Amino acid sequence: MAKKKAEGYLSGRESRRISRANRKVTNELEKKRKRKKVPESEYLTKMHDPDNAVEFDNLHTYFFTDAGTVKSVDGVSFEVPIGKTVGVVGESGCGKSVTSLSLMQLLQRPQGQVVEGEIRLNLGDKAVDVAKMPYEAVQHLRGNFVSMIFQEPMTSLNPVFRIGDQINEVIELHDGEGKSKEDVKKRTIELLEMVGIANSEGVYRMFPHELSGGMRQRVCIAMALACNPKVIIADEPTTALDVTIQAQVLDLLRSLKDKINSSIMFITHDLGVIAEMADYVVVMYAGRIVEKGTAEDIFYHPAHPYTIGLMASKPVVGRQVDKLYSIPGKVPNPVNMPDYCYFKDRCEMCVEKCGGEYPCEVSLSPTHKVSCYRYYDGQMPEDVNPAAAGEKAENGDPAEGQKPGDLSTAADKDQEGGDVS
Amino acid sequence: MSKQSGSAGGKISASDTKGRGEYTPVTYDPQYILMVNELKKYFPIKGGMMSRTVGQVKAVDGVTFNLKRGTTMGLVGESGCGKTTTGRTILRLSGEKTGGQVLFNGKEVYELSNKEMRSMRTKMQIIFQDPFSSLSPRLPVGEIIGEAVREHNLVPKAEFNDYIDKVMDNCGLQPFHKERYPHEFSGGQRQRICIARALALNPEFVVCDEPVSALDVSIQAQIINLLKELQEQYKLTYLFISHDLSVVEHISDTVGVMYLGNLVEYGKTEDIFRNPLHPYTKALFSAIPVPDPNAKMNRIVLEGSIPSPANPPTGCKFHTRCANCTQRCKEEAPMQREVEPGHYVVCHLYDK
Ligand SMILES: Nc1ncnc2c1ncn2[C@@H]1O[C@H](COP(=O)(O)OP(=O)(O)OP(=O)(O)O)[C@@H](O)[C@H]1O
Ligand SMILES: Nc1ncnc2c1ncn2[C@@H]1O[C@H](COP(=O)(O)OP(=O)(O)OP(=O)(O)O)[C@@H](O)[C@H]1O
Ligand code: SF4
Ligand code: SF4
Ligand SMILES: [Mg+2]
Ligand SMILES: [Mg+2]
């Protein structure tokens, strides 16, 4: 793999050496995964808490590239309780999608590999560790039990098949027993209507390129919900949708959640959507979790400087600023991570101890955890008064709907917080 | 700013009241870099064994607006209402238009020769909504961004590498990204590659189709600040398509609200956000999610069936879902009104 090299980059020889070493590692891992008829006992496990649907435990997912090992997910642990929604936010490229793809075993092969940790999945009568499962076994889980709405709809739609046929196929594959062709079609049309697609008969016969971005996304949502999955991974499912249809899709996900008690792992950059949907929030930065807690914890008492910066960056309707706040600096190179806090080079709230090794997790409350030196001596984050924020949302004239001016919330206060330090 | 000298008729919509394809031509007004007049784009619906055309999707059905140099127009509206098609049709990226005019610097874009069109391509750029399908999987990122720059000889050879590095840095990409391939990037990182590719060509006019929705808010802020800086520096003009109304409010000078192929409301950003008039605009604003887990929302839920652009409702196209619908709305398409200076709406409620 001797490519034209950029200044100060790897030499062709070095790159070839890395490439050889990579192949050795990935071949071995692949061989293990590709085995057939693996006894179930090899990957059966026990949930640490039976009320959880999924438990990520110290997950490490690496990409073995020619430029070195990209540690996309580097020790991530969190739970998705049954019937609850966990929102995942974080810097673009911090490993949110890779975390969810690890659960589905849909990482790009062979370079993408789960190298350490467990992903325990509660199947009701038993629990499995997806990280140890061979491909063959995982296939049965996808669609039936766990299903995923992808960030980029074209990755899950086949450009040469009609929309209707693609959804029919999913239904037939997982749920088709005893269904006639007409029944399947009826169900497909019903699903398309459920996600708010007008002209469902017409769209049934269209090809993906004939749909708008948001319509493609809704087709993917329909496909993912076709078989009433117990765990739904939604990777930015509503980014391509306007706010009215977004509200409709969020309602749909919520009602499905209530109806069959599904759990949702919801990845999005829209803090407003997270606030609305999530029971728990996980904040990731550079492959690790820097803060997690209930939605109230994160929105009213954001503790990690990254979370605080994130909240301050969001433009708010009705609040005029010349320049938006944005966290200065860049994420470190994932091939070559520093040995101190990954956020230190961008952090505006550093304390003396920050030069030390990567900070470990501190509990601020039974639900609220943060990895940051500022809280080592028990200092608590400042409250963002929830009462005040609630008041503001209420005093709009309901007849006129939400007035833009009333939308200022938690983020206002965080802006100040960010500026002070 | 839309209705001034030249654009006679005073209509941004309500094409149904006129015969198809008819419009009053506009004459060039130099203060506008882009003049779009009664633009239409229909897609044929094929059906049956012979793939005959059995109908038409009226994706863009008579859109009129003018854009001053160095300003930003935000375009919002329901998913599938024709925003992307409007942007692509202006850039002549989806075959022939069905009707209307697109004047870029006074020249009809659809009458340019191939050679003229090629040089025009660097001046008019688009940042695509779906970065995954618009990036070649076989080229490393440095090449994707630099390809057209080299082709059009925009910078001297000796400065090429530095130039690409600078553009990438501006868009939040790092030098070590240059050698990697698109599939090795996250969704948001890919979007930044698209932005860098478009901005590298020093365009005059950029259609930004959901440029920041795949990015985390901090990088969103960084890109928006960058777009604004470039605008000030080079007098860039943007058509900014987005579902994120807070971003639209921040970046736009004017805002157009689309519904089913037509602009239904248009005006200065402050006016639209302070005083939304059209029932659809009101419903849209009421659904903005608030970053507060205990916020109480007063959403206007749009009832009724969502009409299809292949078979739009008679009269006002919004009447199937409008809470204020009257008999007249079902029969007669509303005309455009100027309710306050520069603030236009297409709705019978504002008839005097
Ligand atoms: N196939 C691959 N080869 C090499 N690196 C990869 C590959 N896929 C992802 N990565 C890297 O892994 C990291 C995490 O990517 P991931 O897609 O999980 O980000 P994300 O958090 O979902 O971001 P976004 O919000 O932009 O979608 C990124 O730095 C990305 O460059
Ligand atoms: N190539 C095509 N062939 C047929 N119909 C098309 C084609 N491209 C778009 N359409 C139709 O035109 C309409 C408008 O699509 P467009 O992509 O412009 O919507 P949009 O406003 O950008 O929506 P979104 O916000 O979801 O991206 C849709 O009904 C779509 O199905
Ligand atoms: S540990 Fe220090 S450098 Fe890291 S986020 Fe906390 S305060 Fe900032
Ligand atoms: S014209 Fe009538 S149906 Fe149309 S938006 Fe106005 S009130 Fe509603
Ligand atoms: Mg992602
Ligand atoms: Mg679009």
Side-chain angles (χ1 to χ4, degrees):
Chain A
M1 208 51 220
K3 277 180 294 173
K4 178 172 63 70
K5 72 178 190 74
E7 308 75 7
Y9 216 57
L10 293 174
S11 69
R13 185 194 225 155
E14 215 173 335
S15 169
R16 273 193 299 278
R17 187 187 55 75
I18 294 176
S19 173
R20 258 199 311 277
N22 284 346
R23 256 202 311 277
K24 218 172 118 200
V25 179
T26 54
N27 277 348
E28 208 160 294
L29 288 164
E30 280 292 296
K31 215 160 85 199
K32 217 167 144 196
R33 286 232 191 278
K34 279 194 192 136
R35 285 172 307 154
K36 298 252 148 73
K37 307 220 170 56
V38 179
E40 205 178 53
S41 59
E42 214 173 273
Y43 51 82
L44 274 183
T45 177
K46 251 185 115 127
M47 301 304 285
H48 284 194
D49 181 344
D51 288 335
N52 286 336
V54 188
E55 289 170 356
F56 292 93
D57 195 347
N58 196 24
L59 177 69
H60 290 72
T61 305
Y62 294 174
F63 286 93
F64 296 91
T65 73
D66 295 348
T69 304
V70 180
K71 299 181 177 174
S72 293
V73 175
D74 199 17
V76 157
S77 307
F78 67 97
E79 299 86 47
V80 185
I82 292 174
K84 299 279 184 217
T85 301
V86 176
V88 183
V89 293
E91 180 107 19
S92 165
C94 69
K96 303 180 296 294
S97 299
V98 170
T99 302
S100 57
L101 291 173
S102 305
L103 169 59
M104 297 288 279
Q105 280 208 12
L106 286 174
L107 294 162
Q108 195 198 17
R109 278 148 54 184
Q111 48 291 44
Q113 297 288 346
V114 174
V115 293
E116 201 189 322
E118 292 189 357
I119 308 173
R120 293 184 291 271
L121 182 65
N122 193 344
L123 298 181
D125 48 347
K126 60 187 177 193
V128 289
D129 178 3
V130 179
K132 287 203 188 68
M133 275 171 114
Y135 292 129
E136 197 187 37
V138 175
Q139 245 155 32
H140 297 292
L141 296 177
R142 276 188 228 137
N144 277 337
F145 204 87
V146 190
S147 89
M148 180 153 181
I149 304 164
F150 289 91
Q151 186 169 11
E152 283 161 12
M154 281 316 269
T155 47
S156 53
L157 291 176
N158 189 328
V160 302
F161 290 113
R162 290 180 198 275
I163 298 296
D165 296 337
Q166 300 197 41
I167 305 181
N168 287 350
E169 193 191 313
V170 174
I171 297 173
E172 276 159 10
L173 198 67
H174 297 296
D175 202 16
E177 273 159 60
K179 277 202 170 102
S180 68
K181 273 237 147 36
E182 285 75 49
D183 287 346
V184 172
K185 176 171 178 189
K186 221 173 95 201
R187 171 83 179 134
T188 299
I189 298 277
E190 186 186 300
L191 283 164
L192 287 174
E193 273 162 12
M194 206 165 77
V195 291
I197 288 189
N199 183 20
S200 50
E201 292 273 352
V203 168
Y204 186 91
R205 272 180 279 113
M206 284 188 186
F207 291 99
H209 75 266
E210 296 177 315
L211 302 183
S212 78
M215 289 159 84
R216 277 179 215 158
Q217 188 58 283
R218 278 179 278 165
V219 168
C220 293
I221 295 171
M223 247 149 95
L225 302 187
C227 307
N228 296 331
K230 291 300 269 180
V231 177
I232 303 165
I233 302 169
D235 195 353
E236 309 209 13
T238 58
T239 342
L241 306 179
D242 66 275
V243 285
T244 55
I245 298 204
Q246 167 168 290
Q248 207 176 315
V249 167
L250 296 183
D251 278 342
L252 183 75
L253 282 171
R254 258 192 304 250
S255 72
L256 190 81
K257 191 184 89 171
D258 295 341
K259 208 167 73 194
I260 60 171
N261 212 17
S262 313
S263 314
I264 305 178
M265 178 174 158
F266 202 105
I267 303 173
T268 178
H269 291 303
D270 192 327
L271 297 171
V273 171
I274 287 275
E276 190 180 329
M277 289 294 286
D279 302 299
Y280 300 94
V281 180
V282 169
V283 185
M284 282 182 73
Y285 184 79
R288 292 192 174 171
I289 290 179
V290 293
E291 183 168 2
K292 60 188 172 188
T294 62
E296 273 89 2
D297 288 339
I298 304 292
F299 281 93
Y300 295 144
H301 320 278
H304 196 278
Y306 174 67
T307 318
I308 294 172
L310 204 60
M311 302 248 179
S313 308
K314 184 179 164 46
V316 175
V317 173
R319 190 180 66 196
Q320 298 292 337
V321 286
D322 250 2
K323 206 171 161 181
L324 293 172
Y325 173 80
S326 106
I327 302 170
K330 297 211 177 72
V331 231
N333 184 341
V335 177
N336 196 2
M337 281 303 195
D339 50 10
Y340 45 86
C341 169
Y342 292 171
F343 193 61
K344 179 165 180 285
D345 298 338
R346 308 174 69 184
C347 187
E348 295 177 322
M349 304 181 175
C350 279
V351 291
E352 222 170 284
K353 282 172 281 186
C354 297
E357 59 184 13
Y358 192 92
C360 53
E361 203 173 83
V362 197
S363 289
L364 298 176
S365 78
T367 52
H368 195 177
K369 311 253 155 59
V370 61
S371 298
C372 172
Y373 278 113
R374 281 167 56 93
Y375 305 99
Y376 267 37
D377 45 16
Q379 182 200 343
M380 286 295 141
E382 274 158 49
D383 281 13
V384 179
N385 187 356
E391 232 171 62
K392 273 189 197 166
E394 264 171 311
N395 62 18
D397 181 356
E400 278 179 57
Q402 200 93 38
K403 268 212 219 98
D406 298 328
L407 299 180
S408 53
T409 52
D412 296 48
K413 319 237 157 117
D414 303 334
Q415 175 91 57
E416 287 150 29
D419 289 344
V420 168
S421 51
Chain B
M1 86 191 202
S2 113
K3 304 294 141 195
Q4 290 201 359
S5 61
S7 78
K11 235 187 241 186
I12 51 175
S13 171
S15 59
D16 295 28
T17 54
K18 286 190 201 169
R20 183 176 300 158
E22 277 173 38
Y23 59 90
T24 325
V26 286
T27 44
Y28 177 45
D29 181 343
Q31 65 169 318
Y32 299 124
I33 183 171
L34 180 74
M35 298 177 81
V36 177
N37 182 33
E38 283 293 315
L39 184 67
K40 290 184 185 173
K41 175 73 193 174
Y42 297 171
F43 294 102
I45 305 171
K46 308 273 189 201
M49 297 287 287
M50 315 291 289
S51 273
R52 268 176 309 138
T53 301
V54 296
Q56 280 171 320
V57 177
K58 298 178 178 172
V60 179
D61 198 16
V63 165
T64 301
F65 62 86
N66 296 330
L67 210 49
K68 269 192 192 138
R69 198 175 300 277
T71 63
T72 302
M73 169 168 162
L75 194 57
V76 301
E78 186 152 62
S79 154
C81 70
K83 302 179 297 297
T84 302
T85 309
T86 303
R88 291 179 60 104
T89 312
I90 290 170
L91 300 192
R92 201 174 159 181
L93 285 174
S94 51
E96 278 304 307
K97 62 181 190 232
T98 309
Q101 284 177 293
V102 184
L103 300 184
F104 183 69
N105 283 325
K107 284 202 184 130
E108 170 57 65
V109 172
Y110 281 79
E111 281 161 12
L112 296 177
S113 69
N114 281 347
K115 190 159 159 255
E116 283 172 310
M117 198 60 221
R118 247 202 314 283
S119 71
M120 187 70 90
R121 281 267 174 261
T122 64
K123 296 199 188 114
M124 301 168 86
Q125 280 293 311
I126 181 164
I127 299 166
F128 288 101
Q129 182 171 12
D130 190 350
F132 189 70
S133 50
S134 70
L135 294 175
S136 159
R138 273 174 244 301
L139 289 179
V141 165
E143 199 50 41
I144 290 176
I145 297 170
E147 202 183 15
V149 176
R150 193 167 10 226
E151 197 177 303
H152 293 278
N153 284 321
L154 291 181
V155 289
K157 267 215 176 67
E159 292 164 29
F160 181 78
N161 273 328
D162 288 342
Y163 180 74
I164 299 299
D165 283 351
K166 198 181 107 221
V167 173
M168 286 178 63
D169 186 58
N170 276 341
C171 300
L173 292 165
Q174 307 191 38
F176 64 83
H177 286 141
K178 236 170 160 176
E179 302 279 302
R180 294 218 243 151
Y181 290 82
H183 69 256
E184 295 177 27
F185 288 87
S186 77
Q189 290 167 328
R190 280 204 276 262
Q191 187 59 285
R192 278 183 266 172
I193 299 169
C194 291
I195 295 171
R197 178 176 61 180
L199 297 183
L201 293 173
N202 263 328
E204 285 177 30
F205 169 64
V206 187
V207 174
C208 309
D209 195 356
E210 304 269 0
V212 294
S213 42
L215 307 175
D216 67 85
V217 280
S218 175
I219 293 171
Q220 237 179 46
Q222 194 182 321
I223 298 277
I224 292 169
N225 290 339
L226 170 73
L227 288 172
K228 279 190 126 179
E229 266 163 41
L230 290 171
Q231 179 163 52
E232 269 157 38
Q233 231 171 343
Y234 303 106
K235 278 219 142 234
L236 282 182
T237 310
Y238 301 122
L239 180 64
F240 196 95
I241 302 172
S242 178
H243 290 307
D244 189 331
L245 295 163
S246 57
V247 170
V248 169
E249 186 193 25
H250 181 77
I251 200 166
S252 314
D253 300 294
T254 57
V255 174
V257 183
M258 262 184 103
Y259 187 78
L260 217 60
N262 292 113
L263 280 176
V264 293
E265 186 164 356
Y266 177 85
K268 288 203 284 291
T269 308
E270 308 92 86
D271 293 344
I272 300 266
F273 277 80
R274 179 183 44 83
N275 183 23
L277 297 173
H278 197 279
Y280 175 67
T281 316
K282 286 184 181 166
L284 204 60
F285 285 179
S286 78
I288 301 174
V290 186
D292 177 349
N294 294 328
K296 293 194 187 62
M297 301 291 293
N298 292 307
R299 271 197 190 121
I300 303 172
V301 181
L302 292 176
E303 307 278 354
S305 64
I306 304 173
S308 128
N311 189 14
T314 55
C316 172
K317 286 183 180 174
F318 189 55
H319 87 244
T320 53
R321 301 164 75 193
C322 183
N324 308 78
C325 175
T326 61
Q327 190 55 33
R328 181 173 172 215
C329 300
K330 294 180 187 163
E331 290 156 5
E332 188 189 328
M335 301 281 282
Q336 182 198 315
R337 305 275 149 194
E338 185 171 6
V339 175
E340 50 186 331
H343 190 169
Y344 301 87
V345 64
V346 184
C347 170
H348 287 311
L349 287 179
Y350 300 93
D351 280 359
K352 292 277 148 56

